[in-house]
């Protein structure tokens, strides 16, 4: 009898859990019904701007249908010279690309040691110690960043940036709202450790805007004073009550963080040692504390596809940067010359967010119904989403067209419609002949005429209407 009672209790528990899960799925379905049934795509620009003392943050509306379908949000950070983006963290994984400029970046990974010290004799003074040395700093890793760097950031990791150059530092970031690591709703939520944002939380469109303050502001000053063992006045200062500089502040005087020298300024033996180990480093990178999180995509010498007359394409996935396996994102960098064309292709296992860093291009995108959902020009500073399976073709219409794509898979794969490795090349001639009702000779031309794999030369706007492809 007891066994039957236990079995009934177990079945009842499973039934309750099933109904709860079904209700949750139904609620999500009502919130985003058919969110990827897209009949039209648009080149998007920022919908909100957060102004600060030394820069601004431009935010795209993540409720736009194509971004909602992709499960991401997007932002652009413009940091002026000597501007410091104050430390913050997000509820989502983030992949960033340095579109312009140079600077410094630091992260604080929970549980990791402060491996950057200004002296080997550093000895912190603890309570109860006798004579102490002059205070010296120690902190977690600081990296130099430059144009072309792609930076992976895990959820909950505090990050800051500083512009030590003369030109603006421009960083674009994609946030994976649909990630399994985001345990909140599908909204990007920045948590600021310092500074205040008088303009409010514009990341959450539709919610009543109130000034966004830093985390310390929510605690009582006495709690902060006790936790950090500081006086009450200093604790109140951490709350930034009267600070209206925003989240990007201007540094007064030198910015004296501990940093390694730039490449080319180090002793020759250090650079030779790095060359022997390669850019992937050594076994230290097996831990999360020392894992590499940055790689540069602007070097044509490491391109996956390169044609001097046409341009190059470089990809970054978890085989190149293992941390991407954890955040489940990857990136692609493209740079092509005028009238160069990227052959029609689709993403087999990922959505893609295409952001234009320079120049202009004509793009066509086709959905699952065989309808052209986008046919227009994209230019610098705009973005467009290319959902999974949607076919896309790009043709540069300016002297040079450069873009970056963020993809929602650590190892995104593409299939092509034309070229030596295309789906048509893999089909038997009989399938092409009967499928399109064309002659065997026409089927051979369809299958074998295009010899390139990715990049080819287009004869201009008319080439979209004429199936003529010239060899590179």
């Amino acid at each position: 009898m007891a066994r039957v009672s236990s079995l009934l209790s177990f079945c009842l528990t499973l039934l309750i859990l099933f109904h709860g899960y079904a209700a949750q799925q139904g609620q999500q379905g009502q919130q985003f019904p058919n969110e990827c049934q897209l009949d039209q795509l648009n080149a998007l620009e920022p919908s909100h701007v957060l102004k600060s003392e030394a820069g601004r943050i431009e935010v795209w509306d993540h409720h736009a249908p194509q971004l909602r379908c992709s499960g991401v949000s997007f932002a652009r950070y413009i940091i002026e010279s000597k501007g410091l983006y104050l430390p913050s963290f997000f509820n989502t994984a983030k992949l960033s690309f340095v579109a312009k400029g140079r600077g410094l970046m630091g992260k604080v990974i929970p549980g990791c040691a402060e491996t950057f010290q200004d002296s080997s004799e550093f000895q912190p003074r603890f309570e109860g110690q006798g004579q102490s040395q002059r205070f010296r700093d120690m902190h977690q890793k600081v990296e130099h960043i430059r144009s072309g760097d792609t930076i992976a950031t895990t959820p909950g990791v505090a990050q800051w940036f500083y512009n030590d150059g003369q030109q603006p530092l421009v960083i674009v970031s994609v946030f994976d709202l649909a990630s399994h690591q985001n345990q909140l709703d599908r909204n990007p939520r920045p948590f600021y450790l310092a500074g205040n944002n008088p303009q409010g939380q514009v990341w959450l469109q539709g919610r009543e805007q109130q000034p966004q303050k830093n985390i310390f502001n929510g605690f009582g000053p006495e709690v902060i004073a006790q936790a950090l063992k500081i006086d009450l006045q200093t604790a109140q200062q951490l709350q930034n009550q009267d600070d209206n500089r925003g989240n990007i502040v201007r540094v007064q005087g030198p910015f004296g963080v501990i940093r390694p020298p730039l490449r080319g300024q180090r002793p020759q033996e250090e650079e030779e040692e790095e060359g022997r180990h390669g850019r992937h480093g050594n076994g230290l990178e097996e831990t999360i504390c020392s894992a590499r999180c940055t790689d540069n995509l602007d070097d044509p010498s490491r391109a996956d596809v390169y044609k001097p007359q046409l341009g190059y394409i470089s990809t970054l996935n978890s085989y190149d940067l293992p941390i991407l396996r954890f955040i489940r994102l990857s990136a692609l960098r493209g740079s092509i010359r005028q009238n160069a064309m990227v052959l029609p292709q689709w993403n087999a296992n990922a959505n893609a967010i295409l952001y234009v860093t320079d120049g202009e291009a004509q793009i066509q995108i086709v959905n699952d119904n065989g309808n052209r959902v986008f046919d227009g020009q994209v230019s610098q500073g705009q973005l467009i989403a290319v959902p999974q399976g949607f076919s896309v073709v790009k043709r540069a219409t300016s002297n040079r067209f450069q873009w970056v794509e963020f993809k929602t898979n650590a190892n995104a794969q593409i299939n092509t419609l034309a070229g030596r490795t295309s789906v048509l090349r893999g089909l038997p001639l009989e399938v092409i002949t009967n499928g399109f009702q064309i002659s065997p000779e026409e089927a051979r031309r369809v299958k074998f005429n295009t010899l390139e794999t990715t990049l080819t030369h287009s004869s201009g706007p008319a080439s979209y209407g004429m199936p003529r492809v010239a060899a590179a």
Side-chain angles (χ1 to χ4, degrees):
M1 189 70 180
R3 182 179 297 175
V4 173
S5 176
S6 298
L7 182 61
L8 287 173
S9 176
F10 176 72
C11 291
L12 181 61
T13 302
L14 283 179
L15 188 62
I16 292 172
L17 289 174
F18 174 78
H19 279 293
Y21 175 79
Q24 182 182 15
Q25 296 302 306
Q27 185 177 5
Q28 290 178 353
Q30 292 174 6
Q31 186 178 3
F32 302 115
N34 298 322
E35 56 186 344
C36 288
Q37 191 63 41
L38 300 172
D39 297 321
Q40 182 178 356
L41 298 176
N42 298 293
L44 302 178
E45 297 188 359
S47 57
H48 292 81
V49 178
L50 290 172
K51 296 181 180 179
S52 297
E53 177 188 43
R56 65 186 187 273
I57 304 171
E58 300 174 342
V59 180
W60 274 254
D61 180 8
H62 61 281
H63 293 303
Q66 56 188 293
L67 293 183
R68 192 173 65 204
C69 167
S70 302
V72 303
S73 65
F74 199 87
R76 180 167 59 212
Y77 301 83
I78 301 174
I79 306 171
E80 298 171 5
S81 180
K82 299 185 74 68
L84 172 65
Y85 173 73
L86 297 172
S88 67
F89 63 89
F90 279 80
N91 58 314
T92 67
K94 177 175 68 169
L95 193 59
S96 303
F97 180 81
V98 182
K100 182 191 294 186
R102 71 175 202 193
L104 298 173
M105 177 197 69
K107 293 182 180 181
V108 181
I109 303 174
C112 295
E114 300 90 350
T115 54
F116 277 42
Q117 303 175 5
D118 68 350
S119 171
S120 59
E121 290 87 20
F122 177 85
Q123 184 65 39
R125 180 171 65 88
F126 296 98
E127 189 174 351
Q129 281 186 328
Q131 186 177 3
S132 63
Q133 298 180 4
R134 182 178 64 84
F135 177 78
R136 296 184 176 93
D137 194 14
M138 60 191 303
H139 51 70
Q140 288 194 21
K141 185 177 180 179
V142 172
E143 296 183 54
H144 292 277
I145 57 173
R146 59 188 172 93
S147 178
D149 277 350
T150 307
I151 306 162
T153 308
T154 53
V157 170
Q159 186 176 37
W160 57 266
F161 296 98
Y162 175 68
N163 183 353
D164 64 352
Q166 299 301 315
Q167 303 298 321
L169 174 62
V170 180
I171 301 171
V172 292
S173 299
V174 68
F175 304 84
D176 189 4
L177 303 180
S179 168
H180 68 289
Q181 299 180 69
N182 176 20
Q183 299 294 299
L184 302 178
D185 52 25
R186 276 201 178 187
N187 288 298
R189 295 177 183 269
F191 296 82
Y192 292 108
L193 295 179
N196 285 325
N197 174 19
Q199 294 175 255
Q201 175 62 288
V202 301
W203 301 80
L204 303 177
Q205 286 95 353
R207 198 172 84 169
E208 183 179 351
Q209 299 303 317
Q210 297 179 351
Q212 185 182 15
K213 301 177 181 178
N214 70 43
I215 295 175
F216 287 107
N217 187 82
F219 291 103
E222 65 283 352
V223 173
I224 300 173
Q226 292 173 14
L228 297 179
K229 294 182 173 58
I230 56 177
D231 59 63
L232 196 61
Q233 183 177 359
T234 304
Q236 291 172 335
Q237 193 70 25
L238 294 182
Q239 296 179 315
N240 294 120
Q241 294 277 3
D242 301 320
D243 189 346
N244 293 316
R245 295 177 298 167
N247 305 120
I248 306 174
V249 302
R250 195 172 308 281
V251 172
Q252 305 298 330
F255 190 66
V257 300
I258 307 164
R259 70 191 82 174
L262 284 166
R263 186 172 180 85
Q265 298 177 356
R266 292 177 290 176
Q268 184 176 357
E269 56 270 19
E270 287 187 16
E271 297 198 5
E272 290 175 350
E273 181 70 13
E274 180 177 312
R276 285 193 294 270
H277 286 298
R279 63 187 179 90
H280 292 288
N282 52 38
L284 286 175
E285 295 180 353
E286 295 176 2
T287 69
I288 190 65
C289 294
S290 53
R292 230 171 23 95
C293 67
T294 306
D295 206 333
N296 193 278
L297 284 176
D298 265 2
D299 182 4
S301 67
R302 57 152 296 179
D304 298 291
V305 177
Y306 177 72
K307 292 189 174 183
Q309 306 91 340
L310 300 177
Y312 69 89
I313 292 177
S314 298
T315 59
L316 181 68
N317 57 35
S318 68
Y319 297 107
D320 307 304
L321 197 62
I323 196 172
L324 295 179
R325 187 179 299 115
F326 181 70
I327 69 171
R328 299 184 182 180
L329 294 170
S330 58
L332 176 149
R333 174 64 161 166
S335 176
I336 57 177
R337 298 179 185 275
Q338 189 166 22
N339 287 331
M341 182 172 74
V342 182
L343 291 170
Q345 59 184 227
W346 71 89
N347 291 292
N349 58 352
N351 299 310
I353 309 300
L354 185 156
Y355 174 81
V356 182
T357 58
D358 189 36
E360 296 180 336
Q362 181 77 16
I363 292 181
Q364 288 186 356
I365 302 175
V366 177
N367 69 2
D368 53 319
N369 289 327
N371 296 325
R372 195 182 305 162
V373 293
F374 184 81
D375 185 359
Q377 195 93 347
V378 294
S379 56
Q380 182 178 357
Q382 293 182 322
L383 71 81
I384 189 166
V386 184
Q388 178 185 6
F390 284 39
S391 296
V392 57
V393 61
K394 315 174 190 76
R395 181 179 61 83
T397 55
S398 57
N399 288 335
R400 184 172 294 277
F401 173 61
Q402 294 183 309
W403 76 98
V404 60
E405 289 180 41
F406 300 97
K407 302 193 178 187
T408 58
N409 192 304
N411 294 292
Q413 300 173 355
I414 63 166
N415 284 333
T416 55
L417 278 172
R420 196 170 67 245
T421 58
S422 69
V423 61
L424 290 176
R425 181 63 76 94
L427 292 175
L429 282 172
E430 288 295 325
V431 173
I432 298 174
T433 300
N434 288 278
F436 297 104
Q437 293 184 304
I438 57 179
S439 69
E441 187 59 35
E442 289 171 324
R444 288 188 185 91
R445 288 198 294 269
V446 168
K447 181 171 179 175
F448 296 113
N449 268 16
T450 302
L451 302 178
E452 299 83 8
T453 58
T454 306
L455 295 178
T456 189
H457 184 270
S458 165
S459 58
S463 63
Y464 274 144
M466 299 290 292
R468 174 183 158 207
V469 177

